């Protein structure tokens, strides 16, 4: 565990972590969204270690992280005008661009696809690590496959202790949900995963785009659409407890009582955007006042409920505006039922 100052990362610590990456090891590090589990993106053996540590299926592609615009040109077939505008405007930042992949990227990194997902994270530790390693770093979120993404080094340790070579602890992540994934291999770009860079912001920069229909569907989707949205066929981000999301309800607490009637009260977790004082004996956690706070809190709350042995979680939905769309996407993918 390398505790590092997020505002002014110590060179010695970044150097040690970069050396691990350079010799084919795995290092978890903070980004502005969630913690990532990094390895040399161009080394098939190193990338395999990431899949194995997470227990991640090999058809779920990784995101390649870069620290300079020039690195992009080596990784993809061509950088079109849209990619240039978006990179200029949003990098470093929480926008991942999917583009046609060059031959230097091993296919294990891309889940055997001919496209590769790339982003430049807006976090000093992440940028220093990539720069010092001198390589693009493949990094999925640093959680066990299917679990909530980690927003602190402690969450990473909880899932991956003993399975990876190092963790850089740079404190809590700023945003709390993963980057927006935008597929640029289509004529009209498609959002595959919503994040802080919203559809509106992207459309202001490059004109009309689409949102993939699976974004608003519950986890574990099936059918032919999955071929175009790798990684989206799995249930993600999920706590151990049975999760029910109530999108809108005139009487939320009446619904909670009804849905939890077969459980002991101390086995019921409730997530609401209102205050977090105990209500009716249930364990209640607050998402916060707005979408920004909800994004920051959602994965931490799932993990806390897991630790306290809750068996059912009932969560209130939030409006799907701005970051709210990303939060609701993660809730749906984690949910057993959406009402
Ligand atoms: O914010 C983030 O993006 C975080 C931090 C660590 O950077 N990373 C992250 O990675 O969330 P991960 O592996 O948990 O999510 C990667 C997802 C895949 O599951 C898939 O949906 C999409 O990105 N993806 C990656 N490569 C793709 C490709 N070639 N085509 C389509 N989707 C792709
Ligand atoms: Mg993930």
């Amino acid at each position: 565990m390398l505790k590092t100052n997020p505002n002014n990362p110590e060179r010695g610590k970044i150097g040690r972590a970069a050396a691990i990456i350079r010799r084919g090891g795995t290092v978890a590090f903070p980004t502005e969204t969630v913690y990532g589990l990094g390895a040399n993106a161009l080394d098939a053996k190193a990338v395999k270690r990431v899949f194995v540590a997470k227990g991640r299926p090999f058809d779920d592609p990784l995101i390649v992280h870069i620290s300079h615009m020039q690195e992009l040109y080596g990784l993809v077939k061509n950088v079109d005008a849209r990619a240039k505008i978006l990179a200029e405007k949003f990098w470093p930042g929480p926008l991942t661009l999917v583009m046609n992949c060059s031959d230097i990227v091993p296919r294990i990194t891309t889940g055997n696809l001919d496209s590769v997902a790339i982003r430049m994270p807006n976090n000093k530790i992440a940028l220093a690590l990539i720069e010092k390693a001198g390589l693009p770093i493949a990094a999925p979120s640093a959680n066990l496959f299917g679990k909530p993404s980690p927003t602190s080094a402690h969450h990473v340790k909880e899932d991956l202790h003993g399975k990876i070579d190092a963790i850089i602890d740079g404190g809590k992540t700023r945003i709390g949900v993963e980057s927006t994934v935008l597929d640029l291999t289509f004529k009209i770009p498609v959002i595959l995963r919503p994040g802080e860079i919203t559809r509106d912001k992207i459309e202001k920069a490059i004109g009309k785009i689409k949102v993939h229909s699976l974004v608003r569907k519950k986890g574990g989707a099936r059918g032919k659409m999955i071929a175009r949205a790798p990684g989206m066929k799995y249930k993600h981000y999920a706590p151990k407890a049975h999760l029910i999301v109530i999108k809108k309800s005139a009487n939320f607490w009446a619904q909670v009582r009804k849905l939890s009637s077969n459980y002991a009260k101390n086995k019921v977790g409730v997530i609401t955007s209102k205050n977090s004082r105990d209500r009716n004996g249930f364990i209640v956690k607050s998402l916060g006042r707005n979408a920004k706070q909800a994004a920051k809190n959602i994965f931490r709350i799932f993990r806390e409920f897991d630790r306290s042995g809750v068996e059912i979680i009932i969560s209130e939905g939030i409006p799907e505006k701005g970051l709210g769309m990303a939060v609701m996407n993660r809730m749906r993918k984690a949910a057993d039922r959406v009402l």
Side-chain angles (χ1 to χ4, degrees):
M1 183 75 87
L2 298 163
K3 190 144 181 65
T4 302
N5 181 347
N7 301 313
N8 189 12
E10 295 87 341
R11 280 171 61 190
K13 290 177 185 169
I14 297 297
R16 277 175 69 187
I20 296 172
I21 299 276
R22 287 193 65 83
R23 58 168 192 265
T26 51
V27 176
F29 61 96
T31 77
E32 77 279 39
T33 55
V34 300
Y35 274 72
L37 177 59
N40 179 354
L42 305 181
D43 175 349
K45 271 197 197 147
V47 170
K48 189 173 176 194
R49 291 192 181 105
V50 170
F51 280 96
V52 171
K54 283 185 55 103
R56 179 175 175 116
F58 285 100
D59 64 350
D60 191 351
L62 308 185
I63 294 173
V64 177
H65 296 66
I66 60 174
S67 60
H68 289 285
M69 189 63 190
Q70 297 93 284
E71 292 175 277
L72 176 65
Y73 290 86
L75 297 169
V76 301
K77 284 239 164 71
N78 85 308
V79 179
D80 65 18
R82 302 170 306 179
K84 279 184 194 148
I85 293 168
L86 293 170
E88 170 80 17
K89 197 165 168 64
F90 297 112
W91 284 359
L95 177 66
T96 295
L97 301 175
V98 175
M99 289 181 256
N100 289 317
C101 182
S102 75
D103 295 330
I104 70 160
V105 184
R107 288 308 186 260
I108 187 172
T109 303
T110 67
N112 220 13
L113 298 167
D114 291 329
S115 60
V116 62
I118 301 182
R119 88 175 188 101
M120 190 190 290
N122 188 11
N123 175 287
K124 283 188 181 161
I125 292 174
L127 290 171
L129 177 66
I130 301 161
E131 188 159 335
K132 186 71 186 169
L135 318 149
I137 295 183
S141 49
N143 50 284
L144 283 174
F145 178 71
K147 288 261 162 268
S149 295
T151 56
S152 75
H154 175 73
H155 297 162
V156 178
K157 196 172 167 191
E158 211 170 53
D159 278 17
L160 299 175
H161 183 68
K163 298 184 170 175
I164 60 178
D165 296 316
I167 302 172
I168 306 180
D169 180 354
K172 287 193 182 125
T173 59
R174 181 174 66 79
I175 297 173
V177 294
E178 306 85 342
S179 61
T180 306
V181 177
L182 183 70
D183 192 334
L184 289 176
T185 65
F186 300 103
K187 228 170 156 180
I188 301 178
V190 183
I191 289 184
L192 300 180
R193 181 177 73 185
E196 196 197 53
I197 308 298
T198 56
R199 176 187 196 156
D200 277 5
K201 292 184 193 167
I202 296 169
E203 288 191 329
K204 276 199 187 109
I206 59 165
K208 184 122 192 80
I209 65 166
K210 292 181 182 164
V211 176
H212 199 286
S213 57
L214 283 182
V215 163
R216 286 197 186 82
K217 293 239 162 70
K218 212 164 70 61
R222 304 256 172 271
K224 63 175 192 271
M225 282 187 299
I226 61 174
R228 289 188 161 187
M232 291 168 84
K233 66 180 169 186
Y234 301 105
K235 190 174 161 190
H236 275 297
Y237 320 117
K240 282 184 222 138
H242 188 80
L243 173 65
I244 302 177
V245 178
I246 302 178
K247 269 199 314 186
K248 238 194 213 151
S249 167
N251 196 339
F252 178 68
W253 287 101
Q255 284 268 74
V256 170
R257 277 192 295 276
K258 204 167 108 199
L259 290 164
S260 65
S261 58
N262 293 326
Y263 294 82
K265 280 200 168 172
N266 65 355
K267 296 290 174 195
V268 181
V270 178
I271 304 177
T272 115
S273 44
K274 316 269 156 33
N275 72 56
S276 66
R277 252 177 285 134
D278 277 13
R279 292 235 210 141
N280 311 309
F282 297 118
I283 309 172
V284 182
K285 289 185 190 285
S286 168
L287 266 180
R289 271 173 285 116
N290 52 39
K292 220 172 148 175
Q293 291 185 357
K296 241 186 158 129
N297 290 327
I298 182 74
F299 289 140
R300 172 185 57 78
I301 292 174
F302 283 168
R303 279 180 184 267
E304 284 175 3
F305 275 141
D306 272 352
R307 257 181 263 131
S308 61
V310 152
E311 286 168 5
I312 181 173
I313 301 172
I314 302 168
S315 179
E316 202 177 21
I318 67 168
E320 301 196 49
K321 275 180 293 184
L323 249 186
M325 185 169 171
V327 173
M328 286 306 287
N329 165 264
R330 303 317 187 267
M331 275 200 201
R332 284 197 182 95
K333 300 296 172 195
D336 298 280
R337 284 168 73 193
V338 181
L339 305 175

